């Protein structure tokens, strides 16, 4: 009996775990058996692999072929084990040398014609492989760019099983034979997103966006359609600090798992804006076999924007509650549970009424006071409770449309960066790095402002503000003080923060 072992990677959430694929040939009548807790897609690998080998002009051993995936305790799912299975079988039957098998990771699905097809989650799989000490990888050619994001690994792209056989014979597919598109090193995608210079008017809302960015506060924009809620929300990632290398890899790994295009490594925090008709599964993650990350995980270390937020189903909104607290989401399946990171900054937008025009002068809104109230109430409770800043947007006045270009994102981003730096110094030695994350107890005990608390006391006694609301005001007051470069929030910072919490226009007095 002859034996060979190839290595692939199983994914538990974003964590890649090495899976040994052991092929034993001989010792029984010709047939192929696959053991080691495979799921249906993987069980079909047996037939895909045999067909791919045949159509590549090679022979599948006419003996008993036993393929064992270990550790057996780990449920294995997906079709990316195909190339590893074939590598082990071909090495065991002496068709290819086994020298390169140790320390090489095999990832790719096989077509019946022998082509290598791209797989979901390649980046996290390779990160797991590198962490496990594997130094070489054979991946589908179209994913060479994604694979090259993992430094310190030799990556070979293969278009087909025939390419893989060449590589295992020590004759790697020459790079010149590969189209530039396939191997172009993934550019570090630093393309500036949409710019705030394109948004005219709405000075208060622009300021609210800047404060939200500076302190990492969740923010709620409400106002008539066309006032610029979406334009502003889409520009939030452009004024947030860039991601570090590790963070950028983490964000890109989730994109890869979610089956989204991976075009290089982006240092820009991501923006995820699911439609209000999105299912709970597409929002928080799910799926029958290996649960896929949802929109909230794609927004990890970036922004989750819920436009027309009251139109989301109550179940979808409720499903955000735990991730908002914990920064992650756990999905349970029969085969076990998977946890994906989901530490996002929330931006909600809503119209004033179902038709949208209740606050527009001269409009023909026919919504009744009751429907308007019901509409607003859909957002109440756990979600609004997490919002630090509420900002109303008035319909744009015509004068603004011919306004000069507004301040560009780069200038705002610089102020945000300096404010974040101040928070970093003040919060050094704590588990938090931004004002938006600091818990109420710490705020009230160690960071109580010396001025302006009388305003808060009055708001509480008038029933305008809850105890939780006081914490939110204090968080925003600190961010205002950080943006102004002061050491302590002033009475004016506290008053402004209170107005931002209550959603009043900044010009109105408390
Ligand atoms: Zn209306």
């Amino acid at each position: 009996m002859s034996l060979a072992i190839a290595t692939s990677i199983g994914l538990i959430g974003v964590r890649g775990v090495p899976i040994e694929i052991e092929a034993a040939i001989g010792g029984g009548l010709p047939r192929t058996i696959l053991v080691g807790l495979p799921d249906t897609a993987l069980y079909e690998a047996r037939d895909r692999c045999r067909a791919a080998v045949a159509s590549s002009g090679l022979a599948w051993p006419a003996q008993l072929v036993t393929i064992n995936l270990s550790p057996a305790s780990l449920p294995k799912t997906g079709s990316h084990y195909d190339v590893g299975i074939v590598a082990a079988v071909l090495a065991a039957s002496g068709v290819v040398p086994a020298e390169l098998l140790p320390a090489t990771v095999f990832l790719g699905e096989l077509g019946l014609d022998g082509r290598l097809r791209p797989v979901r989650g390649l980046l996290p799989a390779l990160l797991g492989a590198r962490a496990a000490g594997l130094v070489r990888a054979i991946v589908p050619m179209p994913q060479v760019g994604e694979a090259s994001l993992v430094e310190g690994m030799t990556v070979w792209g293969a278009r087909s099983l025939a390419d893989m056989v060449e590589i295992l014979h020590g004759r790697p597919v020459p790079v010149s034979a590969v189209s530039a598109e396939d191997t172009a090193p993934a550019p570090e995608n630093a393309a500036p997103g949409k710019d705030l210079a394109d948004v005219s008017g709405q000075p208060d809302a622009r300021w609210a966006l800047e404060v939200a960015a500076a302190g990492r506060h969740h923010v709620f924009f409400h106002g008539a359609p066309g006032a610029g809620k979406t334009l502003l929300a889409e520009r939030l990632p452009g004024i947030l600090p860039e991601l570090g290398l590790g963070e950028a890899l983490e964000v890109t790994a989730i994109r890869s798992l979610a089956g989204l295009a991976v075009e290089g490594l982006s240092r820009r925090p991501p923006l995820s804006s699911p439609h209000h008709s999105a299912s709970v599964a597409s929002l928080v993650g799910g799926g029958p076999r290996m649960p896929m990350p949802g929109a909230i995980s794609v927004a990890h270390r970036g922004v989750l924007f819920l436009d027309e937020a009251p139109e989301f189903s109550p179940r979808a909104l409720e499903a955000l509650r735990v991730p908002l607290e914990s920064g992650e989401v756990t999905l349970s399946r029969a085969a076990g549970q998977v946890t994906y990171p989901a530490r996002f900054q929330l931006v909600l937008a809503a119209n004033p009424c179902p038709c949208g025009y209740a606050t527009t002068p001269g409009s023909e809104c026919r919504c009744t006071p009751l429907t308007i109230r019901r509409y607003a109430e859909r957002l109440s409770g756990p979600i609004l409770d997490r919002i630090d800043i509420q900002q109303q947007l008035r319909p744009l006045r015509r004068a603004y449309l011919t306004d000069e270009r507004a301040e560009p994102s780069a200038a705002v981003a610089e102020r945000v960066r300096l404010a974040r730096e101040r928070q970093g110094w003040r919060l050094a030695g704590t588990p938090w790095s931004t004002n938006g994350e600091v818990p109420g107890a710490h705020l009230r005990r160690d960071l109580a402002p010396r001025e302006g608390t009388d305003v808060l006391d009055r708001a509480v006694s008038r029933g305008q503000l809850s105890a939780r609301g006081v914490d939110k005001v204090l968080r925003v007051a600190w961010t205002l003080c950080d943006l102004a470069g002061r050491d302590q929030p002033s009475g004016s910072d506290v008053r402004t923060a209170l107005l931002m919490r209550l959603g009043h226009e900044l010009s109105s007095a408390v």
Side-chain angles (χ1 to χ4, degrees):
M1 195 155 83
S2 54
L3 200 94
I5 296 172
T7 307
S8 192
I9 297 289
L11 286 163
I12 306 169
V14 282
R15 195 161 58 89
V17 182
I19 301 287
E20 270 194 359
I21 303 170
E22 198 178 357
I25 296 177
L29 291 171
R31 65 192 183 107
T32 300
I33 53 177
L34 187 60
V35 294
L37 215 57
D39 75 344
T40 325
L42 181 50
Y43 206 74
E44 288 163 358
R46 200 176 49 153
D47 302 323
R48 270 197 309 275
C49 292
R50 292 180 64 139
V53 165
S55 53
S56 305
L58 302 164
W60 191 265
Q63 300 173 66
L64 173 63
V65 178
T66 308
I67 299 157
N68 177 34
L69 281 73
S70 62
S73 57
L74 198 74
K76 293 153 205 83
T77 179
S79 49
H80 66 272
Y81 296 104
D82 290 3
V83 291
I85 291 172
V86 170
V89 169
L90 294 183
S93 60
V95 175
V96 296
E99 278 87 54
L100 286 176
L101 261 52
T104 299
V105 60
F106 292 84
L107 292 163
E109 179 185 324
L110 282 171
L112 300 181
D113 57 358
R115 250 180 318 150
L116 254 68
R117 293 210 180 108
V119 294
R120 221 155 44 76
L122 185 89
L123 178 57
L126 287 179
L127 290 171
R130 186 184 62 182
L134 297 158
V135 295
R136 294 182 291 261
I138 295 185
V139 304
M141 188 65 85
Q143 288 183 295
V144 167
E146 181 175 342
S148 68
L149 297 177
V150 182
E151 284 174 8
M153 280 191 107
T154 303
V155 174
W156 289 307
R159 272 187 230 86
S160 62
L161 192 50
D163 280 0
M164 187 178 88
V165 169
E166 287 297 294
I167 293 166
L168 292 177
H169 272 107
R171 300 188 291 261
V173 189
V175 174
S176 57
V178 168
S179 77
E181 194 180 311
D182 284 341
T183 54
E188 208 159 289
N189 177 8
K194 297 170 174 174
D195 203 286
L196 273 173
D198 312 330
V199 186
S200 43
Q202 304 295 7
D204 290 352
R206 290 172 66 100
W207 174 237
L209 192 75
E210 179 171 338
V211 175
R216 199 178 173 278
H217 302 286
H218 304 307
V219 58
F220 178 21
F221 290 124
H222 41 105
K229 305 187 292 287
T230 307
L231 292 180
L232 286 169
E234 287 173 346
R235 282 156 180 78
L236 177 54
I239 58 171
L240 292 173
E242 288 200 339
L243 301 174
L245 178 63
E247 294 172 329
L249 276 172
E250 195 182 7
V251 165
T252 311
I254 294 170
R255 280 188 71 82
S256 170
L257 275 169
L260 298 169
V262 172
E263 292 148 355
L265 194 65
S266 177
R267 298 293 186 106
R268 181 78 49 207
L271 172 77
S272 172
S273 45
H275 189 257
H276 58 71
S277 63
S279 66
V280 173
S282 71
L283 194 64
V284 300
R289 288 198 224 114
M290 181 173 91
M292 301 243 284
I296 63 169
S297 293
V298 173
H300 178 57
R301 300 203 180 279
V303 177
L304 180 73
F305 174 44
L306 302 186
D307 200 5
E308 301 187 48
E311 304 283 357
F312 280 78
S313 76
R315 276 187 59 224
L317 293 172
E318 173 62 24
L320 297 178
R321 196 171 50 83
V322 174
L324 274 168
E325 290 287 341
S326 65
E328 58 184 29
V329 59
T330 298
L331 306 161
S332 295
R333 290 295 174 275
Q337 62 180 31
V338 162
T339 299
Y340 286 118
R343 190 175 164 276
F344 55 85
Q345 185 173 0
L346 182 64
V347 180
L348 299 177
N351 294 333
C353 67
C355 89
Y357 295 97
T359 54
T360 307
S363 76
E364 294 193 3
C365 169
R366 294 211 181 98
C367 306
T368 66
L370 182 66
T371 51
I372 292 177
R373 204 180 70 218
R374 287 215 178 117
Y375 185 73
E377 277 170 1
R378 289 196 213 163
L379 277 185
S380 59
I383 298 299
L384 270 197
D385 218 37
R386 304 289 309 178
I387 299 290
D388 288 350
I389 300 173
Q390 295 196 50
Q391 177 65 48
Q392 189 169 6
L393 280 81
R394 294 280 171 207
L396 271 183
R397 285 198 306 266
R398 182 163 285 279
Y400 279 126
L401 301 177
T402 54
D403 208 1
E404 289 175 15
R405 267 171 74 86
E407 192 180 28
S409 291
V412 182
E414 178 58 16
R415 290 195 295 270
V416 168
R417 191 184 66 77
L418 291 171
R420 285 277 182 111
E421 222 169 70
R422 299 181 75 88
Q423 293 165 61
W425 292 327
R426 183 171 61 249
L427 297 170
T430 74
W432 319 291
S433 55
T434 56
N435 294 328
E437 299 163 290
V438 179
H442 183 78
L443 273 173
R444 276 170 271 131
R445 193 184 55 233
D446 300 330
L447 294 174
R450 297 190 197 116
E451 300 172 48
T453 47
D454 51 326
V455 182
L456 296 183
D457 293 341
R458 278 205 299 279
V460 170
S461 65
R462 277 201 299 261
Q464 280 178 308
L465 204 60
S466 64
R468 241 175 194 272
V470 170
D471 296 344
K472 288 166 198 306
V473 172
L474 293 181
R475 281 188 200 108
V476 174
W478 272 106
T479 302
L480 293 168
C481 134
D482 288 327
L483 277 166
R486 283 191 288 268
D487 294 331
Q488 266 284 323
S490 65
S492 149
D493 290 335
V494 176
R495 278 192 298 279
T496 306
L498 176 62
L499 290 168
M500 293 179 100
R501 163 65 189 158
L502 298 178
H504 293 183
E505 288 190 296
L506 296 178
S507 52
S508 67
V510 174

